[in-house]
Amino acid sequence: MIEISHLTKKYGSRVAVDDLNLTVEPGKIYGFLGPNGAGKSTTMNLITGYLGATEGSVKINGFDILAQPEEAKRCIGYLPEQPPLYLEMTVLEYLRFAAELKKLKKEEQKAQVAKVMEQTKIQEVQNRLIRSLSKGYRQRVGLAQAILGDPEVILLDEPTVGLDPKQIIEIRNLMKELGKQHTVILSSHILSEISAVCDHIFIISHGKLVASDSAAQLVRRLSGKPEITLKIKGNEEEIRDVLEANLGMEGYRFEKEDEAETGNENPKIRQVTVELTEEGLQEQLFFAFADARLPILEMRKDEKSLEDVFLSLTQETGGDA
């Protein structure tokens, strides 16, 4: 659906997008994830043809965005970070105006406008001036113009910025619904939003693509060896004896030491992290420490989150875009 090849955008000596290559397949929700200044919005503007690339190309459904702009743009619905709204128009007037701009057939305009108002749930405010609407409703109106004409690709740049929690949930649900019929590309620096909505994630840092996969696969691929952390009531020598003599383990480390809540005269609570080298190891640890009468007070599996992956990837690249 979208093919980006060696895409580069420079502003003087500053490189905002740096030799970007990626492919977007139809029927999925994609996330552009990156810190502020990573090049997400610039990439969106290059895809839509709002900006011209310094080098490289963007093809939408086979049409080059610069060489065949009209054909390519017919395939795109775009909601920029600041929705392009005319505040003195009513919602209905604005959507009819947007339908004219998109050159929808006269006989289809009324039905199309009614359809997108229903999809975005703005029928009740269709006769109100846009200036009188809340930010949440303005975002919905912006989404409605983006999906007018049933474009194959919908680009959403930071669609939930400035919304309250209820409005964020509503917009996320709407994006999921749109993803059933369109290819959706969502740009955001909010990790929870990307992981909640997107099927596939592109992580961009300083204008470069640093990762491309599903959230689960990114976490799994970059997590390294899985570990479990135990809080055990006992002294270090006893714990070492169970781990090494009873279980033959070497891959462990002691983390920190706390006094037992029941008083200083009792054994201390030791925290130890163990490499999860085989299936069923948690059960072996439980029974081994139970036999040694060393209570396990807590056992948890330590797994990296998307946030850990994001910070690792974006901090490695350095610089500013």
Side-chain angles (χ1 to χ4, degrees), residues 120-318:
T120 54
K121 296 182 173 59
I122 56 174
Q123 303 100 313
E124 64 187 58
V125 298
Q126 63 180 290
N127 294 314
R128 287 175 55 182
L129 290 175
I130 292 173
R131 73 160 51 255
S132 71
L133 301 179
S134 68
K135 183 166 178 59
Y137 269 115
R138 290 187 189 188
Q139 285 294 92
R140 287 177 177 274
V141 175
L143 272 170
Q145 70 77 24
I147 62 178
L148 260 176
D150 281 326
E152 290 96 332
V153 180
I154 298 172
L155 301 173
L156 308 174
D157 191 2
E158 303 281 3
T160 61
V161 168
L163 302 186
D164 65 38
K166 182 175 182 294
Q167 292 168 336
I168 289 173
I169 292 170
E170 290 172 349
I171 294 297
R172 285 181 184 174
N173 289 337
L174 180 54
M175 287 189 286
K176 289 178 182 178
E177 286 299 312
L178 291 174
K180 295 176 181 178
Q181 300 176 12
H182 307 265
T183 299
V184 178
I185 301 177
L186 162 66
S187 168
S188 181
H189 63 278
I190 303 172
L191 291 159
S192 58
E193 183 160 274
I194 293 291
S195 58
V197 175
C198 297
D199 304 308
H200 191 101
I201 298 172
F202 299 115
I203 298 182
I204 296 177
S205 182
H206 312 293
K208 292 179 176 291
L209 181 67
V210 294
S212 172
D213 216 325
S214 68
Q217 283 294 101
L218 284 173
V219 171
R220 190 176 299 117
R221 184 153 49 93
L222 299 171
S223 287
K225 292 182 179 178
E227 296 178 329
I228 54 173
T229 297
L230 310 164
K231 282 189 178 179
I232 304 167
K233 192 173 181 181
N235 61 50
E236 188 171 308
E237 185 178 343
E238 292 172 318
I239 294 169
R240 286 186 187 277
D241 188 55
V242 172
L243 292 172
E244 294 179 9
N246 291 11
L247 296 173
M249 297 187 63
E250 296 180 356
Y252 68 87
R253 64 182 182 274
F254 286 93
E255 301 289 356
K256 62 181 180 180
E257 187 174 293
D258 296 316
E259 297 292 340
E261 294 180 1
T262 52
N264 293 340
E265 72 279 359
N266 292 304
K268 290 183 176 181
I269 297 171
R270 300 308 309 268
Q271 182 166 298
V272 60
T273 297
V274 178
E275 285 185 11
L276 200 56
T277 55
E278 58 183 275
E279 288 291 328
L281 184 59
Q282 294 100 315
E283 188 174 310
Q284 293 179 44
L285 288 165
F286 176 83
F287 286 117
F289 281 106
D291 290 342
R293 302 192 65 77
L294 300 175
I296 295 177
L297 305 180
E298 182 181 321
M299 180 186 292
R300 70 175 186 273
K301 188 175 181 180
D302 297 324
E303 295 181 306
K304 281 193 175 183
S305 64
L306 182 60
E307 183 178 35
D308 296 322
V309 172
F310 174 76
L311 290 173
S312 172
L313 289 171
T314 56
Q315 286 173 355
E316 285 173 2
T317 51

